[in-house]
Amino acid sequence: MTEPTVPQLSQRALLASDEVVRIGLDEFFAKYPPTGSAGFLVPLGTTQVPAQSAAAALGLNPLNLTNDASRRRAELTILEHGLRMMPTSVYAPPQIGETHPHRTSIKSRYGGDLISGIVKFPGDAIVNCFADESGAYADDPHTRDAPFGYRGDGLQGHQKLTSPGNKRLEAARLEQAAVRFWHKPRGGQFTFEMWCMVVHRHWGWGIDAGGQNRREVVWTLNAIDGPDAGLPEDLIDSSALDPVVDMDNAVGPEAQANPSYLDLVDRLETRPEVVRVKNRVRRDPARSLAARRAVLIRAGEECESPWCTGMPTDRSVTGEPLFEVDHVEDLALKGADHPANMVALCPNCHAAKTRGDRADERRRQLKKIANEKHAAAMKRNPHTAQ
């Protein structure tokens, strides 16, 4: 579509620009409140002012900025006075380290919505991923040193790759486009932490906002140095995987309700544990999730440590037992990512195994326990998912 020609500044526009300089911004905003500007600015002279303030100074009725069509009409109305209305994210895009107390503050500045965790600001091509530790999504802790998991879009029921937020991230993955990662710790503020790229995505298993088990899209994000930096060379292959796979109809047992122990073990044993790409070893997320769920099924509600004095009475925020699934022989020391080398431990027993003064002895005990419990589970084929 051809952009309309910008006419000369109208008399009203010239007067409004002079008024900003004459009375100052504080008095200008008191006289022409910016409420409802929805992340759009209009230049009056050398100053960018919220769209509603500009409209009021021009003698116009309040602008309707609630959807794309109404925003386009508002742009044309402003354009009649020789001015361009543009998104704040274009005039003054978010900067690394920028903080906001809540999503309402972010919407007030840049527009967009308050609910979805995966959004684009109006007029901006860049996807924003919001991670709130007090929210309903069980995102992985983010890190700048390695890829991490970010849960997809959808609060209730099974998630779908075709939901609006997930479609945005899938497009970013296929285009290898940078995304903004925002994070809010418990009791803290939202901070634009870093630029990321989408490395891959796979199905995970979690609990929705209503406390029901459900399938979730887990996006693998990797920090990059800036919006134009691109992925490290040894991760580029991952972002190109499965460009047309219909994930909604290709779900392994690791992301299904009530998988059997045997199904999960079969799943992980028929997939390669690692794939070597150039100088990096990459683990298969679906395989790792299958191994973890198998261990949790096997443990039920009880810590698998023989020296455990009792599970905590507290539960996780999703209502599950407070387990830490641990590799007896560390993966970094070539331990297997397999239930025969994994145990579900309560926090105290996990600390004793990793940091206690009898850690070596505990590790030997747990290696035997893991093997025995795995062999017993293969015979019994438990069918109770956690």
Side-chain angles (χ1 to χ4, degrees):
M1 181 186 300
T2 303
E3 288 292 325
T5 303
V6 180
Q8 288 186 334
L9 291 178
S10 69
Q11 186 64 28
R12 289 185 184 181
L14 291 171
L15 291 173
S17 299
D18 289 341
E19 188 173 15
V20 172
V21 176
R22 180 168 48 82
I23 67 176
L25 276 178
D26 288 344
E27 189 173 339
F28 185 86
F29 290 151
K31 184 177 180 180
Y32 308 114
T35 305
S37 294
F40 285 86
L41 298 173
V42 174
L44 293 181
T46 59
T47 304
Q48 312 292 341
V49 302
Q52 297 291 15
S53 296
L58 293 169
L60 304 175
N61 292 326
L63 302 173
N64 181 356
L65 302 173
T66 56
N67 55 56
D68 288 342
S70 63
R71 284 193 290 267
R72 184 60 178 164
R73 288 192 293 271
E75 288 175 14
L76 294 174
T77 299
I78 294 292
L79 192 65
E80 291 175 359
H81 293 274
L83 300 169
R84 279 196 179 278
M85 185 181 79
M86 297 286 284
T88 304
S89 56
V90 174
Y91 276 129
Q95 301 296 308
I96 294 286
E98 179 178 320
T99 61
H100 293 268
H102 37 63
R103 288 288 297 274
T104 302
S105 170
I106 296 172
K107 180 180 179 180
S108 175
R109 180 167 179 79
Y110 297 112
D113 72 51
L114 295 172
I115 304 301
S116 176
I118 306 169
V119 302
K120 287 184 178 180
F121 300 137
D124 188 12
I126 296 171
V127 176
N128 296 268
C129 299
F130 290 92
D132 183 351
E133 290 186 11
S134 301
Y137 297 100
D139 298 318
D140 294 350
H142 62 282
T143 172
R144 289 177 171 79
D145 301 322
F148 60 93
Y150 175 80
R151 300 285 164 154
D153 182 41
L155 287 170
Q156 297 282 357
H158 292 311
Q159 292 186 351
K160 293 185 176 182
L161 190 62
T162 53
S163 69
N166 290 331
K167 286 174 70 174
R168 294 183 189 110
L169 272 186
E170 178 69 350
R173 180 182 80 89
L174 295 175
E175 295 165 8
Q176 295 186 15
V179 302
R180 299 187 188 99
F181 181 80
W182 300 75
H183 173 250
K184 180 179 181 290
R186 291 181 183 277
Q189 301 188 96
F190 275 108
T191 301
F192 174 18
E193 295 275 2
M194 56 189 172
W195 290 97
C196 291
M197 288 189 72
V198 185
V199 179
H200 192 43
R201 36 88 171 136
H202 65 276
W203 283 121
W205 191 249
I207 295 179
D208 71 9
Q212 300 299 308
N213 290 321
R214 56 92 170 264
R215 185 169 61 246
E216 297 177 332
V217 182
V218 182
W219 299 94
T220 302
L221 305 183
N222 193 85
I224 55 176
D225 292 335
D228 302 315
L231 274 174
E233 185 179 351
D234 52 359
L235 288 177
I236 290 176
D237 77 302
S238 299
S239 68
L241 291 175
D242 306 326
V244 294
V245 165
D246 180 5
M247 278 183 65
D248 293 342
N249 294 306
V251 183
E254 71 279 0
Q256 295 179 14
N258 301 317
S260 72
Y261 192 89
L262 287 178
D263 286 342
L264 291 165
V265 171
D266 181 66
R267 170 75 159 168
L268 67 92
E269 289 184 346
T270 55
R271 296 176 71 93
E273 184 168 345
V274 296
V275 176
R276 182 171 292 279
V277 183
K278 295 184 170 61
N279 296 320
R280 184 188 289 261
V281 171
R282 177 167 48 81
R283 297 194 175 275
D284 175 18
R287 188 187 189 285
S288 295
L289 178 59
R292 186 178 188 280
R293 283 200 76 188
V295 174
L296 291 174
I297 287 173
R298 187 181 73 196
E301 296 275 328
E302 298 297 328
C303 173
E304 293 189 312
S305 162
W307 67 83
C308 185
T309 57
M311 284 286 292
T313 56
D314 291 354
R315 312 284 285 189
S316 73
V317 293
T318 55
E320 299 169 303
L322 286 176
F323 278 135
E324 300 187 27
V325 178
D326 183 77
H327 292 84
V328 182
E329 297 293 339
D330 294 343
L331 292 176
L333 299 177
K334 299 185 178 181
D337 192 18
H338 191 284
N341 181 51
M342 298 166 70
V343 285
L345 302 176
C346 71
N348 283 343
C349 290
H350 183 251
K353 181 260 182 184
T354 55
R355 307 192 296 275
D357 57 2
R358 300 167 60 189
D360 289 341
E361 177 187 345
R362 301 301 195 197
R363 186 175 290 107
R364 287 192 295 271
Q365 288 178 292
L366 289 174
K367 181 61 179 174
K368 181 180 178 182
I369 290 291
N371 274 296
E372 290 175 350
K373 288 186 175 291
H374 171 64
M378 291 295 288
K379 292 179 181 178
R380 142 174 112 244
N381 189 18
H383 210 318
T384 304
Q386 298 294 333

Short mmCIF file of all heavy atoms in Angstrom, two decimals, residues 35-85:
data_model
loop_
_atom_site.label_atom_id
_atom_site.label_comp_id
_atom_site.label_asym_id
_atom_site.label_seq_id
_atom_site.Cartn_x
_atom_site.Cartn_y
_atom_site.Cartn_z
N THR A 35 -4.03 10.23 28.65
CA THR A 35 -4.73 8.97 28.93
C THR A 35 -5.35 8.38 27.66
O THR A 35 -6.02 9.09 26.91
CB THR A 35 -5.84 9.19 29.97
OG1 THR A 35 -5.28 9.79 31.12
CG2 THR A 35 -6.50 7.87 30.34
N GLY A 36 -5.09 7.07 27.45
CA GLY A 36 -5.69 6.39 26.31
C GLY A 36 -4.88 6.49 25.04
O GLY A 36 -5.37 6.16 23.96
N SER A 37 -3.61 6.92 25.13
CA SER A 37 -2.80 7.07 23.92
C SER A 37 -2.33 5.74 23.35
O SER A 37 -1.89 5.65 22.21
CB SER A 37 -1.60 7.98 24.20
OG SER A 37 -2.03 9.30 24.48
N ALA A 38 -2.37 4.67 24.19
CA ALA A 38 -2.12 3.30 23.72
C ALA A 38 -0.81 3.14 22.98
O ALA A 38 -0.72 2.42 21.98
CB ALA A 38 -3.28 2.84 22.84
N GLY A 39 0.23 3.81 23.45
CA GLY A 39 1.55 3.58 22.88
C GLY A 39 1.81 4.30 21.57
O GLY A 39 2.65 3.86 20.79
N PHE A 40 1.11 5.40 21.30
CA PHE A 40 1.33 6.15 20.06
C PHE A 40 1.73 7.58 20.38
O PHE A 40 1.22 8.20 21.31
CB PHE A 40 0.07 6.14 19.19
CG PHE A 40 -0.16 4.83 18.50
CD1 PHE A 40 -0.85 3.82 19.14
CD2 PHE A 40 0.34 4.60 17.24
CE1 PHE A 40 -1.06 2.60 18.52
CE2 PHE A 40 0.14 3.39 16.60
CZ PHE A 40 -0.55 2.38 17.24
N LEU A 41 2.65 8.10 19.56
CA LEU A 41 3.16 9.45 19.74
C LEU A 41 2.95 10.27 18.47
O LEU A 41 2.85 9.72 17.37
CB LEU A 41 4.66 9.42 20.07
CG LEU A 41 5.09 8.70 21.37
CD1 LEU A 41 6.60 8.63 21.43
CD2 LEU A 41 4.52 9.41 22.59
N VAL A 42 2.92 11.58 18.65
CA VAL A 42 2.82 12.52 17.53
C VAL A 42 3.87 13.61 17.76
O VAL A 42 3.97 14.14 18.89
CB VAL A 42 1.42 13.14 17.45
CG1 VAL A 42 1.37 14.24 16.37
CG2 VAL A 42 0.37 12.07 17.15
N PRO A 43 4.68 13.96 16.75
CA PRO A 43 5.69 15.01 16.95
C PRO A 43 5.07 16.40 16.85
O PRO A 43 4.44 16.76 15.84
CB PRO A 43 6.66 14.77 15.79
CG PRO A 43 5.83 14.15 14.71
CD PRO A 43 4.77 13.35 15.41
N LEU A 44 5.20 17.16 17.92
CA LEU A 44 4.83 18.57 17.90
C LEU A 44 6.11 19.37 18.02
O LEU A 44 6.72 19.44 19.11
CB LEU A 44 3.86 18.90 19.04
CG LEU A 44 2.47 18.28 18.96
CD1 LEU A 44 1.62 18.71 20.15
CD2 LEU A 44 1.78 18.63 17.64
N GLY A 45 6.57 19.93 16.91
CA GLY A 45 7.88 20.55 16.89
C GLY A 45 8.94 19.49 17.05
O GLY A 45 8.95 18.48 16.34
N THR A 46 9.81 19.66 18.04
CA THR A 46 10.88 18.69 18.28
C THR A 46 10.53 17.73 19.41
O THR A 46 11.36 16.93 19.83
CB THR A 46 12.19 19.43 18.64
OG1 THR A 46 11.98 20.23 19.81
CG2 THR A 46 12.66 20.30 17.49
N THR A 47 9.30 17.79 19.90
CA THR A 47 8.89 16.98 21.04
C THR A 47 7.85 15.94 20.60
O THR A 47 6.90 16.26 19.90
CB THR A 47 8.27 17.86 22.14
OG1 THR A 47 9.21 18.87 22.50
CG2 THR A 47 7.93 17.02 23.37
N GLN A 48 8.08 14.70 21.01
CA GLN A 48 7.09 13.64 20.76
C GLN A 48 6.11 13.62 21.93
O GLN A 48 6.52 13.46 23.08
CB GLN A 48 7.79 12.27 20.66
CG GLN A 48 9.02 12.24 19.77
CD GLN A 48 8.68 12.42 18.31
OE1 GLN A 48 7.54 12.21 17.92
NE2 GLN A 48 9.65 12.80 17.50
N VAL A 49 4.82 13.78 21.65
CA VAL A 49 3.83 13.79 22.72
C VAL A 49 2.82 12.67 22.48
O VAL A 49 2.60 12.26 21.33
CB VAL A 49 3.10 15.15 22.81
CG1 VAL A 49 4.09 16.28 23.04
CG2 VAL A 49 2.26 15.41 21.57
N PRO A 50 2.20 12.13 23.54
CA PRO A 50 1.20 11.08 23.36
C PRO A 50 0.09 11.51 22.41
O PRO A 50 -0.30 12.69 22.38
CB PRO A 50 0.68 10.86 24.79
CG PRO A 50 1.82 11.27 25.67
CD PRO A 50 2.45 12.43 24.96
N ALA A 51 -0.41 10.56 21.66
CA ALA A 51 -1.36 10.87 20.58
C ALA A 51 -2.60 11.58 21.07
O ALA A 51 -3.10 12.52 20.42
CB ALA A 51 -1.74 9.57 19.87
N GLN A 52 -3.15 11.16 22.23
CA GLN A 52 -4.38 11.81 22.71
C GLN A 52 -4.12 13.26 23.12
O GLN A 52 -4.98 14.12 22.93
CB GLN A 52 -4.97 11.01 23.89
CG GLN A 52 -5.41 9.60 23.56
CD GLN A 52 -6.63 9.54 22.65
OE1 GLN A 52 -7.02 10.52 22.03
NE2 GLN A 52 -7.24 8.35 22.56
N SER A 53 -2.94 13.53 23.67
CA SER A 53 -2.60 14.91 24.02
C SER A 53 -2.51 15.77 22.76
O SER A 53 -3.00 16.91 22.71
CB SER A 53 -1.27 14.96 24.78
OG SER A 53 -1.37 14.29 26.02
N ALA A 54 -1.88 15.20 21.72
CA ALA A 54 -1.75 15.93 20.46
C ALA A 54 -3.12 16.20 19.85
O ALA A 54 -3.41 17.30 19.36
CB ALA A 54 -0.87 15.15 19.49
N ALA A 55 -3.99 15.17 19.88
CA ALA A 55 -5.33 15.33 19.30
C ALA A 55 -6.10 16.43 20.02
O ALA A 55 -6.77 17.27 19.39
CB ALA A 55 -6.08 14.00 19.37
N ALA A 56 -6.02 16.43 21.36
CA ALA A 56 -6.73 17.45 22.12
C ALA A 56 -6.19 18.84 21.82
O ALA A 56 -6.95 19.81 21.68
CB ALA A 56 -6.61 17.15 23.62
N ALA A 57 -4.84 18.96 21.69
CA ALA A 57 -4.24 20.25 21.38
C ALA A 57 -4.63 20.73 19.99
O ALA A 57 -4.68 21.94 19.72
CB ALA A 57 -2.73 20.17 21.50
N LEU A 58 -4.93 19.80 19.09
CA LEU A 58 -5.36 20.14 17.74
C LEU A 58 -6.85 20.43 17.67
O LEU A 58 -7.38 20.76 16.59
CB LEU A 58 -5.02 18.99 16.78
CG LEU A 58 -3.54 18.72 16.51
CD1 LEU A 58 -3.36 17.40 15.77
CD2 LEU A 58 -2.91 19.87 15.73
N GLY A 59 -7.55 20.27 18.79
CA GLY A 59 -8.98 20.52 18.83
C GLY A 59 -9.81 19.38 18.29
O GLY A 59 -10.96 19.57 17.88
N LEU A 60 -9.24 18.16 18.28
CA LEU A 60 -9.94 16.99 17.76
C LEU A 60 -10.64 16.23 18.88
O LEU A 60 -10.29 16.36 20.06
CB LEU A 60 -8.94 16.05 17.06
CG LEU A 60 -8.10 16.66 15.94
CD1 LEU A 60 -7.08 15.64 15.44
CD2 LEU A 60 -9.00 17.12 14.79
N ASN A 61 -11.60 15.41 18.52
CA ASN A 61 -12.22 14.50 19.48
C ASN A 61 -11.21 13.43 19.88
O ASN A 61 -10.25 13.15 19.14
CB ASN A 61 -13.46 13.85 18.88
CG ASN A 61 -14.58 14.84 18.65
OD1 ASN A 61 -14.74 15.78 19.43
ND2 ASN A 61 -15.36 14.64 17.60
N PRO A 62 -11.41 12.78 21.05
CA PRO A 62 -10.50 11.69 21.44
C PRO A 62 -10.39 10.64 20.34
O PRO A 62 -11.37 10.29 19.68
CB PRO A 62 -11.15 11.12 22.70
CG PRO A 62 -11.91 12.28 23.26
CD PRO A 62 -12.44 13.05 22.07
N LEU A 63 -9.16 10.14 20.13
CA LEU A 63 -8.90 9.16 19.08
C LEU A 63 -9.32 7.77 19.54
O LEU A 63 -9.15 7.40 20.70
CB LEU A 63 -7.41 9.15 18.74
CG LEU A 63 -6.81 10.48 18.28
CD1 LEU A 63 -5.29 10.35 18.15
CD2 LEU A 63 -7.42 10.93 16.96
N ASN A 64 -9.87 7.00 18.62
CA ASN A 64 -10.17 5.58 18.88
C ASN A 64 -8.96 4.77 18.43
O ASN A 64 -8.67 4.68 17.23
CB ASN A 64 -11.43 5.16 18.11
CG ASN A 64 -11.80 3.71 18.36
OD1 ASN A 64 -11.08 2.98 19.04
ND2 ASN A 64 -12.92 3.28 17.83
N LEU A 65 -8.23 4.19 19.39
CA LEU A 65 -7.01 3.44 19.08
C LEU A 65 -7.13 1.98 19.49
O LEU A 65 -6.14 1.33 19.80
CB LEU A 65 -5.81 4.10 19.80
CG LEU A 65 -5.56 5.57 19.46
CD1 LEU A 65 -4.46 6.14 20.35
CD2 LEU A 65 -5.19 5.75 18.00
N THR A 66 -8.35 1.47 19.51
CA THR A 66 -8.59 0.14 20.07
C THR A 66 -8.24 -1.00 19.12
O THR A 66 -8.05 -2.12 19.56
CB THR A 66 -10.06 0.00 20.48
OG1 THR A 66 -10.90 0.28 19.35
CG2 THR A 66 -10.39 0.96 21.62
N ASN A 67 -8.17 -0.77 17.81
CA ASN A 67 -7.84 -1.85 16.87
C ASN A 67 -7.14 -1.26 15.65
O ASN A 67 -7.03 -0.04 15.50
CB ASN A 67 -9.09 -2.64 16.46
CG ASN A 67 -10.17 -1.75 15.89
OD1 ASN A 67 -9.95 -1.01 14.93
ND2 ASN A 67 -11.37 -1.80 16.50
N ASP A 68 -6.68 -2.13 14.76
CA ASP A 68 -5.90 -1.67 13.61
C ASP A 68 -6.68 -0.72 12.72
O ASP A 68 -6.15 0.30 12.25
CB ASP A 68 -5.44 -2.88 12.79
CG ASP A 68 -4.35 -3.68 13.50
OD1 ASP A 68 -3.72 -3.12 14.43
OD2 ASP A 68 -4.12 -4.84 13.12
N ALA A 69 -7.97 -1.04 12.46
CA ALA A 69 -8.76 -0.19 11.56
C ALA A 69 -8.97 1.20 12.15
O ALA A 69 -8.82 2.21 11.44
CB ALA A 69 -10.11 -0.86 11.28
N SER A 70 -9.32 1.25 13.44
CA SER A 70 -9.55 2.56 14.06
C SER A 70 -8.24 3.34 14.18
O SER A 70 -8.23 4.57 14.03
CB SER A 70 -10.21 2.39 15.42
OG SER A 70 -9.37 1.69 16.32
N ARG A 71 -7.13 2.63 14.43
CA ARG A 71 -5.84 3.33 14.50
C ARG A 71 -5.47 3.93 13.14
O ARG A 71 -4.91 5.02 13.07
CB ARG A 71 -4.75 2.39 14.99
CG ARG A 71 -4.79 2.12 16.49
CD ARG A 71 -3.52 1.45 16.99
NE ARG A 71 -3.41 0.07 16.53
CZ ARG A 71 -3.84 -0.98 17.22
NH1 ARG A 71 -4.41 -0.81 18.40
NH2 ARG A 71 -3.68 -2.20 16.74
N ARG A 72 -5.80 3.19 12.09
CA ARG A 72 -5.50 3.71 10.75
C ARG A 72 -6.31 4.98 10.48
O ARG A 72 -5.79 5.96 9.92
CB ARG A 72 -5.81 2.64 9.70
CG ARG A 72 -5.44 3.03 8.27
CD ARG A 72 -3.97 3.31 8.15
NE ARG A 72 -3.58 3.64 6.78
CZ ARG A 72 -2.45 4.20 6.44
NH1 ARG A 72 -1.57 4.54 7.38
NH2 ARG A 72 -2.16 4.45 5.18
N ARG A 73 -7.57 5.00 10.88
CA ARG A 73 -8.38 6.20 10.71
C ARG A 73 -7.83 7.35 11.53
O ARG A 73 -7.82 8.51 11.08
CB ARG A 73 -9.83 5.90 11.10
CG ARG A 73 -10.57 5.02 10.09
CD ARG A 73 -12.07 5.01 10.37
NE ARG A 73 -12.38 4.33 11.63
CZ ARG A 73 -12.62 3.04 11.74
NH1 ARG A 73 -12.55 2.26 10.67
NH2 ARG A 73 -12.92 2.52 12.92
N ALA A 74 -7.35 7.04 12.75
CA ALA A 74 -6.75 8.08 13.60
C ALA A 74 -5.49 8.65 12.94
O ALA A 74 -5.25 9.86 12.98
CB ALA A 74 -6.44 7.52 14.97
N GLU A 75 -4.68 7.78 12.33
CA GLU A 75 -3.47 8.23 11.64
C GLU A 75 -3.83 9.22 10.54
O GLU A 75 -3.15 10.25 10.36
CB GLU A 75 -2.73 7.03 11.05
CG GLU A 75 -2.03 6.14 12.06
CD GLU A 75 -1.42 4.91 11.40
OE1 GLU A 75 -1.33 4.90 10.15
OE2 GLU A 75 -1.06 3.96 12.11
N LEU A 76 -4.88 8.90 9.77
CA LEU A 76 -5.29 9.78 8.67
C LEU A 76 -5.82 11.11 9.18
O LEU A 76 -5.58 12.17 8.57
CB LEU A 76 -6.34 9.08 7.80
CG LEU A 76 -5.85 7.84 7.04
CD1 LEU A 76 -6.99 7.14 6.33
CD2 LEU A 76 -4.75 8.22 6.04
N THR A 77 -6.52 11.07 10.32
CA THR A 77 -7.02 12.31 10.91
C THR A 77 -5.86 13.21 11.33
O THR A 77 -5.88 14.43 11.06
CB THR A 77 -7.90 11.98 12.14
OG1 THR A 77 -9.01 11.18 11.72
CG2 THR A 77 -8.40 13.26 12.81
N ILE A 78 -4.86 12.62 11.98
CA ILE A 78 -3.68 13.39 12.39
C ILE A 78 -2.92 13.88 11.16
O ILE A 78 -2.39 15.00 11.12
CB ILE A 78 -2.77 12.53 13.29
CG1 ILE A 78 -3.47 12.19 14.61
CG2 ILE A 78 -1.44 13.22 13.55
CD1 ILE A 78 -3.69 13.36 15.52
N LEU A 79 -2.88 13.04 10.12
CA LEU A 79 -2.13 13.37 8.91
C LEU A 79 -2.71 14.60 8.21
O LEU A 79 -1.98 15.35 7.54
CB LEU A 79 -2.15 12.16 7.95
CG LEU A 79 -1.20 12.21 6.76
CD1 LEU A 79 0.25 12.20 7.24
CD2 LEU A 79 -1.44 11.01 5.84
N GLU A 80 -4.00 14.82 8.35
CA GLU A 80 -4.63 16.00 7.74
C GLU A 80 -4.02 17.30 8.25
O GLU A 80 -4.12 18.35 7.60
CB GLU A 80 -6.13 15.99 8.02
CG GLU A 80 -6.89 14.88 7.30
CD GLU A 80 -8.36 14.84 7.70
OE1 GLU A 80 -8.77 15.67 8.55
OE2 GLU A 80 -9.09 13.99 7.17
N HIS A 81 -3.36 17.24 9.41
CA HIS A 81 -2.72 18.42 10.00
C HIS A 81 -1.22 18.42 9.74
O HIS A 81 -0.48 19.19 10.37
CB HIS A 81 -3.01 18.50 11.49
CG HIS A 81 -4.46 18.74 11.79
ND1 HIS A 81 -5.00 20.01 11.84
CD2 HIS A 81 -5.49 17.88 12.00
CE1 HIS A 81 -6.29 19.93 12.10
NE2 HIS A 81 -6.62 18.64 12.20
N GLY A 82 -0.77 17.54 8.83
CA GLY A 82 0.64 17.51 8.48
C GLY A 82 1.52 16.79 9.50
O GLY A 82 2.74 16.97 9.53
N LEU A 83 0.91 15.94 10.33
CA LEU A 83 1.64 15.24 11.39
C LEU A 83 1.48 13.73 11.22
O LEU A 83 0.46 13.26 10.72
CB LEU A 83 1.09 15.64 12.77
CG LEU A 83 1.19 17.13 13.12
CD1 LEU A 83 0.38 17.42 14.37
CD2 LEU A 83 2.65 17.54 13.31
N ARG A 84 2.48 12.99 11.65
CA ARG A 84 2.43 11.53 11.59
C ARG A 84 2.28 10.95 13.00
O ARG A 84 3.03 11.33 13.91
CB ARG A 84 3.69 10.95 10.95
CG ARG A 84 3.69 10.97 9.44
CD ARG A 84 4.75 10.05 8.89
NE ARG A 84 4.78 10.01 7.45
CZ ARG A 84 3.97 9.26 6.70
NH1 ARG A 84 3.05 8.51 7.28
NH2 ARG A 84 4.07 9.28 5.38
N MET A 85 1.33 10.08 13.16
CA MET A 85 1.19 9.33 14.41
C MET A 85 1.92 8.01 14.25
O MET A 85 1.65 7.25 13.32
CB MET A 85 -0.30 9.07 14.72
CG MET A 85 -0.54 8.42 16.07
SD MET A 85 -2.30 8.10 16.39
CE MET A 85 -2.53 6.60 15.41
#
